[in-house]
Amino acid sequence: MPMPLDRSFRARSTETSPSGEQHDGFTYDPTIKQNVNNQNTTAARAKLLAKVSPKLTVLLAIDGSRDTSGTGYYIPVHPIIGGTLQSPIYGPFNPNESLSSQTPTNNSWTGGVSAKVSYAFNPELTFNSISAFRAFAQDPVNYNNDGEPLVPYNNANPVPTSISDNYIVYREKEATQEFQLLGKYDRFDFATGLYFLYEDFSSNRIGYVASSLGAGAAPVKPFDQVGDTKTFNYAAYVQGDYHVTSALILTLGGRYTIEHRDFNFQGIYDNFSGTALPLTTPGDFTYADGKTWSSFSPKFAVSYQFTPAAFGYASVSEGFDAGGFNNRASSLATALPYNQENVTTYEIGLKTDWLEHRLRLNGTVFYNAYTGLQETASVPNGSILVSARANANRAHTEGAEFESVATPVDGLTLNGNVSYLETRFDSFPNAGALGTALSSPLISATGNQLPISPHWQLFAAFNYRLPLDLPGDLRIGADITYETSYFSDVLNQPRGEVSDQGFVDAFASYTPADSHWQFSLTGHNLANRIAYQTLSYSTPNLWEGPVNPPRTVFFKVGYKL
């Protein structure tokens, strides 16, 4: 006869947190006569923790968000103010102006549910089951990444043409299941488990790019990329810590992963009304394939508590990123799979506390060795070269990080972080070309820096609780971030280099005593520095990128249920 639950033990707690952020656009678009790059997001999440018995605990969580913000509008380096696409007339650069002809369209949402069931067999051994389901959609999103206005195609065909346009519907759903067994004994701790993921990602992307090099007798035709990728991921892992002494710990672990992807894709040319042209149109193609990647990723680490205030560690570990297929393929050559990426990481670190925990100093040095690093390269597509996902043979990153936290007086916290990074493609021949013609010579990226990899990054901040006789908590604070220049692409084109940049933020907040409310005033980019965050270049008409928001001030009111 089953025993009834001990209902006297039952306990539960709930947590809910709705949120929303809205702001007007910060970039003016004179073509459509409105501000763009606005934000309009709402989100909510809730958690329920139920202690069913002294050994059984259930945590349920649900979250969702809706985003109708305008899609990001790029700023052209050379804005077109007249002429034709083939023979444009350029105007002066304006960092606060995008000339795109597309009206902001975006309807995105994401959400998920999860359940974590924990059962403690005894104080040393615990079993966890973690189940989750998530879904995402952009239905639809319309974006333009050239920032240029409608201009006549050429003198022979003066049809007003947007250089590029993209109308997309994305849908994704995934389910995961993980089983964990956690043990904690006198000298030995361990975690082992099994993991499974299923994901179905479908996309329907209609787009085109009409560069000045391709301004022929008639405008280009939109290309409809219809793809579906199903991913199955299976993994088993184990990691154990052995306490050799009270100060010395040895760690050994490993994870074996198998990932399989099925890919179905069709590329179809449409007319400008969205109707598919006959399947015999040159350039149409279909592609279907499946591929499996696998890897064993070990880890070894040693840590030592030198003193109660100083802790050091060293580790060697391997990581794995499966290969895949291109949902934005423009030809059969660009639809072919790229291979997996592997990395071996070496890390040494030291964590210290000083002055009765008023000063914390941590430092780390690391080296990452990559094989098959997944990057973007150029491949032939008929009579031109196009971009596709590819693998660099070998690459590495190395650097150091230093962080500090100080509380010199009660209520005041100071933070300071600095990092240095060196990156290099050790072998990446035929990585791209500076032109789109098939005759353009392919260029090696060997010896180049990895994209979006600044050498130096610095961060400093303070947070101070004002010692005022108020029924609550009144704080002020500020921070500054700075990073050196970096390249936007693997070829390290000077046209794609982003210059050094720094930003200053500040805030003031007040939380009444014994209250669920919080009020805050925040200022971002107080120096009003406007700079590109990335830059892409293929022709003078397609030399553009996104810029950061200007000086903005937010007043927020929060309420915690």
Side-chain angles (χ1 to χ4, degrees), residues 123-173:
E124 293 81 23
L125 196 62
T126 301
F127 173 80
N128 293 326
S129 171
I130 305 171
S131 309
F133 175 81
R134 297 198 64 80
F136 161 81
Q138 283 187 302
D139 188 7
V141 57
N142 185 203
Y143 76 90
N144 167 281
N145 57 3
D146 60 68
E148 301 285 15
L150 290 168
V151 293
Y153 192 72
N154 55 26
N155 291 329
N157 196 331
V159 177
T161 303
S162 177
I163 293 177
S164 69
D165 193 11
N166 299 275
Y167 188 89
I168 301 172
V169 174
Y170 286 148
R171 292 187 177 276
E172 186 265 357
K173 57 185 177 182

Side-chain angles (χ1 to χ4, degrees), residues 200-218:
D200 186 357
F201 177 79
S202 63
S203 63
N204 189 337
R205 179 179 183 271
I206 303 176
Y208 69 90
V209 175
S211 74
S212 58
L213 299 178

